[in-house]
Amino acid sequence: MQLEEFLASRPRVPLGTLPTPLDACPRLSEAIGGAPIAIKRDDLSGFALGGNKVRMLEFALGEAVAVGADCLLTGADVQSNQCRAVAAGAARLGMECHLVVSRGPHPEMQGNLLLQHVFGAHVRVVEPPAIGDKTLVDVQGVLDEVEAALRATGKRPFRITGQRIEHALKGMVGYMTGAVELAAQLRALPAAPSAMVICAGSGTTMAGLVCGLKALGGGVLRQRVIGVTISNPAAAVRERILALSHMAAETYGLDCVLEPDEVDVRDGFVGPGYGLPSEEGLAALALVARTEGILLDPIYTSKTAAALFHLIRSGELPPDRPVVMVHTGGIPGVFAYHQEVAAALPPVA
């Protein structure tokens, strides 16, 4: 099945302001030196302060409506962009929203947590266990309990999560729309990019982009995609993306099976840990803001930008071809982490 035909066949609730622009960044490019930089502005996807989750949510809400759900259920960390977007989506559809979030380094009523309440969600904050890798597993266990309790009262909850791979498969469909947009926008550039750089958390968004490009065919995947992991080890993210490509091919009939050498995920930019800003990331945040007037978030896109700058400065990305960074949003994080951001700002010249 052709990718555009497949996407058109899926139930969908329009939310985003799409397509998002691909902006040239000449002052940032000059400051870094080397390859011209362009940013795919999914921070401008519009709905509920935008971000990559909007694309995924359009299809998730479409399915929720199709199956007759009357409430939405999801969970992650306390400053989750996904939880903010799902809460807003529930408000748009007039559904209840139930969130389970783990208390992270910034559990104050600020950033995404504040917005979850503004959008009218029922928010349950749980204490994470000592081992960080188990935090999301713990949240999912509590979600199981909440879902069972809702069903016992006659509710019809629809669960949205990218942590379980069967749910991630559905989520990656949304970011295939980003692949379609980028494929068209890349053709308008003066030269083919040497790479596209994107944040890789669970790997769902990157899987949607790379599988979408592969399904489009026509050599589009020759545009190299580099994922920057901000939580899990690169090898684990790579395996998850490969598994999702096989599942998408089997489930949806798309020609999107990836070979191992088509999935490039990099370690080394997590900093002190998931959910914690890095020195290099905060420096990148300030530089992008002061050269282009574009905000990055302190947890995801700032670390992605730091990785991009390293790849350019190291010479891995050639200076004579442009490079594209995908901005996946997350702007409320600037306010949740305001102390760290403020402390890292360089003096104004």
Side-chain angles (χ1 to χ4, degrees):
M1 181 183 293
Q2 295 296 314
L3 180 58
E4 293 93 335
E5 177 187 358
F6 164 71
L7 292 173
S9 72
R10 305 293 294 176
R12 185 175 183 179
V13 173
L15 298 173
T17 304
L18 305 174
T20 58
L22 179 63
D23 286 349
C25 298
R27 295 195 68 244
L28 176 62
S29 303
E30 181 180 3
I32 298 300
I37 298 170
I39 298 181
K40 174 64 171 169
R41 300 292 307 277
D42 265 17
D43 58 314
L44 301 180
S45 57
F47 182 71
L49 294 186
N52 61 319
K53 302 301 183 184
V54 173
R55 296 182 186 275
M56 301 175 181
L57 191 60
E58 289 192 334
F59 290 90
L61 293 188
E63 185 175 350
V65 171
V67 299
D70 59 11
C71 56
L72 301 179
L73 178 65
T74 194
D77 64 272
V78 73
Q79 289 295 338
S80 165
N81 294 301
Q82 174 175 288
C83 289
R84 178 244 310 170
V86 171
R92 171 69 67 89
L93 294 180
M95 293 184 180
E96 286 184 13
C97 180
H98 295 264
L99 305 177
V100 177
V101 296
S102 62
R103 188 184 303 277
H106 284 281
E108 303 88 1
M109 189 64 73
Q110 178 57 284
N112 280 313
L113 180 60
L114 173 63
L115 293 177
Q116 292 159 21
H117 286 276
V118 169
F119 291 128
H122 300 274
V123 183
R124 178 175 173 181
V125 180
V126 298
E127 296 293 338
I131 301 175
D133 288 345
K134 293 183 179 178
T135 299
L136 290 174
V137 174
D138 180 69
V139 167
Q140 298 304 319
V142 177
L143 281 170
D144 289 341
E145 299 171 7
V146 174
E147 182 174 1
L150 288 169
R151 292 191 184 281
T153 65
K155 292 287 187 181
R156 300 184 302 279
F158 184 86
R159 188 160 168 174
I160 300 171
T161 176
Q163 298 308 314
R164 295 178 175 174
I165 196 162
E166 65 272 17
H167 292 283
L169 176 65
K170 298 176 182 179
M172 69 175 282
V173 168
Y175 215 79
M176 289 181 172
T177 65
V180 173
E181 287 180 17
L182 265 169
Q185 291 169 328
L186 295 181
R187 297 186 184 100
L189 294 178
S194 61
M196 289 182 282
V197 180
I198 187 170
C199 177
S202 67
T204 302
T205 299
M206 182 178 175
L209 175 61
V210 183
C211 288
L213 293 174
K214 184 68 177 281
L216 286 170
V220 176
L221 191 63
R222 287 199 294 271
Q223 306 300 328
R224 178 183 176 197
V225 179
I226 300 174
V228 180
T229 181
I230 47 79
S231 54
N232 300 307
V237 177
R238 188 179 302 113
E239 288 305 311
R240 183 178 176 86
I241 292 171
L242 288 169
L244 283 169
S245 78
H246 285 271
M247 289 179 68
E250 294 170 3
T251 305
Y252 303 129
L254 296 171
D255 184 13
C256 65
V257 174
L258 300 171
E259 300 298 328
D261 63 357
E262 293 175 325
V263 184
D264 187 349
V265 183
R266 305 295 180 92
D267 283 312
F269 302 95
V270 176
Y274 174 67
L276 300 172
S278 69
E279 180 180 349
E280 297 81 5
L282 291 173
L285 185 156
L287 181 61
V288 174
R290 293 184 177 184
T291 56
E292 297 294 342
I294 296 174
L295 283 175
L296 305 179
D297 83 282
I299 302 303
Y300 300 95
T301 53
S302 62
K303 295 180 181 182
T304 306
L308 168 62
F309 300 162
H310 171 78
L311 293 170
I312 293 173
R313 288 166 171 157
S314 70
E316 180 173 344
L317 300 179
D320 58 342
R321 292 173 61 189
V323 61
V324 172
M325 175 182 147
V326 179
H327 190 329
T328 51
I331 299 307
V334 174
F335 305 103
Y337 292 80
H338 60 94
Q339 292 178 334
E340 292 92 334
V341 171
L345 290 174
V348 177

